[in-house]
Amino acid sequence: MQINFRPSGVCARNITFDRAEDGTISNISFTGGCDGNLKAIAKLCDGMKAEEIVKKLAGNKCGGKSTSCADQFAKALLS
């Protein structure tokens, strides 16, 4: 199932990914934000279970913000 998520409080404008029935995440794509960093996150997380990604990325902050694109991806996986 393809998921589209609109993040809040970060530079990325949209996050899309596929979630398989077993919770495996693939085809991760960020629109906007820090292109190189977000491509790296997408590559590193591809094929991982949602729970594992959330454990690694939830609560990550960007600069003085209370969230980050990685944290918003974790929130997308939890929604």
Side-chain angles (χ1 to χ4, degrees):
M1 166 193 310
Q2 186 177 57
I3 309 291
N4 289 302
F5 180 81
R6 174 158 279 154
S8 176
V10 296
C11 299
R13 296 181 308 276
N14 196 52
I15 304 170
T16 60
F17 57 92
D18 292 333
R19 180 193 299 259
E21 287 186 28
D22 68 354
T24 302
I25 304 301
S26 61
N27 300 318
I28 305 158
S29 176
F30 292 82
T31 304
C34 301
D35 188 53
N37 291 333
L38 296 176
K39 283 180 181 174
I41 288 171
K43 285 182 180 183
L44 290 169
C45 294
D46 189 65
M48 291 174 63
K49 299 280 187 176
E51 302 149 348
E52 188 176 350
I53 296 169
V54 170
K55 285 181 189 176
K56 292 178 185 278
L57 301 182
N60 187 40
K61 296 179 182 178
C62 181
K65 297 178 182 178
S66 62
T67 189
S68 67
C69 293
D71 181 56
Q72 289 292 301
F73 181 38
K75 290 181 187 314
L77 294 169
L78 292 171
S79 66

